[in-house]
Amino acid sequence: MNSPSIAPSLLAADFANLQKELELVNRSEADYLHFDVMDGLFVPNISFGFPLLEVARTYCQKPLDVHLMITQPERYLEAFAEGGASVIHVHYEACTHLHRTLTRIRELGCRAGVALNPHTPVSGLEDVLEQIDVVLIMSVNPGFGGQTFIPHTLQKVAKLNQLLTASGSTALIEIDGGVGEQNAQALVKAGADILVAGNSVFRSADPVEAIRQLKASSLPMMA
Ligand code: DX5
Ligand code: ZN
């Protein structure tokens, strides 16, 4: 097992100390900063948008992993690419013309991600695999941080892993929602490449150490 990439989710950060939170991400072993955009329509919550993206881009040295939980995300691809996104995830359920949207994300110089809600089967991606760089499997219903991990996700990751291998796809598998030390190792074993972690990082006593531990989750447990 390779060690997973870690993407702390900004949604769980202390917004009164945002610069400090971003600086701790910088000095940690994190590989990305996960940036959750919610529109109050696709999901029953509103988070943040471009002003905060500019802050993240200014103070965070890690690549920005932008998760768009918005309807018709194709309307904002240029703006997020210009805003500094490295990866842009659109939701499968929010895209009428998913192939076109993914193609456009790549044209803009970003990596193309597709997010799947818990009820969306991985088989729906079969005809668009060549356009995908990352599949973001939601392990909670999107909209809020701090929710409980849905156990079925483990089987879904394994199934996606098989699908990708069988089709020769090099797309990465990313997991988002309720991820922490209690399930990280099982997720990596099932095939996860990138772990998003909000509360388990920012609400821990030592976020830098929490990131280090998640990163080490491919290693055998110490007795
Ligand atoms: C949920 C968001 C997640 C969230 C994860 O809709 O997409 O990225 O911030 O937070 P935790 O790790 O606390 O479940
Ligand atoms: Zn997210």
Side-chain angles (χ1 to χ4, degrees):
M1 284 193 289
N2 293 325
S3 86
S5 296
I6 308 300
S9 175
L10 188 64
L11 191 65
D14 175 3
F15 284 80
N17 292 293
L18 203 48
Q19 191 176 341
K20 277 192 187 143
E21 298 281 69
L22 292 170
E23 282 165 359
L24 83 78
V25 172
N26 289 342
R27 62 172 191 275
S28 77
E29 293 178 38
D31 299 274
Y32 302 91
L33 179 73
H34 187 77
F35 191 92
D36 286 308
V37 181
M38 304 178 185
D39 66 354
L41 198 58
F42 181 71
V43 288
N45 195 10
I46 297 176
S47 58
F48 39 69
F50 299 112
L52 209 70
L53 187 66
E54 203 177 319
V55 173
R57 184 194 209 176
T58 305
Y59 293 103
C60 189
Q61 293 150 7
K62 309 283 180 174
L64 301 177
D65 184 56
V66 174
H67 179 191
L68 298 181
M69 286 162 275
I70 65 176
T71 55
Q72 297 179 305
E74 63 277 4
R75 295 172 296 160
Y76 290 103
L77 301 179
E78 285 79 5
F80 281 103
E82 279 167 26
S86 292
V87 187
I88 299 179
H89 300 277
V90 293
H91 263 267
Y92 177 89
E93 306 82 9
C95 295
T96 307
H97 301 287
L98 183 61
H99 182 286
R100 176 186 288 151
T101 301
L102 294 170
T103 302
R104 182 72 187 133
I105 293 173
R106 282 184 173 169
E107 280 171 6
L108 291 166
C110 299
R111 279 193 284 159
V114 183
L116 301 183
N117 276 339
H119 72 276
T120 303
V122 298
S123 57
L125 299 177
E126 272 172 20
D127 292 308
V128 76
L129 285 176
E130 281 175 28
Q131 280 66 45
I132 301 176
D133 296 308
V134 191
V135 180
L136 180 63
I137 302 257
M138 291 308 302
S139 37
V140 297
N141 287 291
F144 303 92
Q147 301 183 79
T148 305
F149 180 85
I150 298 171
H152 177 73
T153 308
L154 277 174
Q155 287 159 256
K156 198 167 172 180
V157 173
K159 203 168 177 181
L160 175 61
N161 202 17
Q162 281 171 8
L163 175 65
L164 296 178
T165 307
S167 62
S169 164
T170 55
L172 299 174
I173 302 178
E174 180 167 347
I175 314 300
D176 187 7
V179 175
E181 58 174 357
Q182 72 285 359
N183 51 26
Q185 194 170 23
L187 284 164
V188 175
K189 206 174 166 189
D193 302 293
I194 305 170
L195 304 177
V196 176
N199 279 257
S200 67
V201 165
F202 285 107
R203 304 293 159 97
S204 80
D206 185 346
V208 173
E209 175 59 16
I211 291 168
R212 196 194 64 74
Q213 283 181 12
L214 284 173
K215 186 95 186 164
S217 55
S218 60
L219 306 174
M221 297 268 197
M222 301 294 278

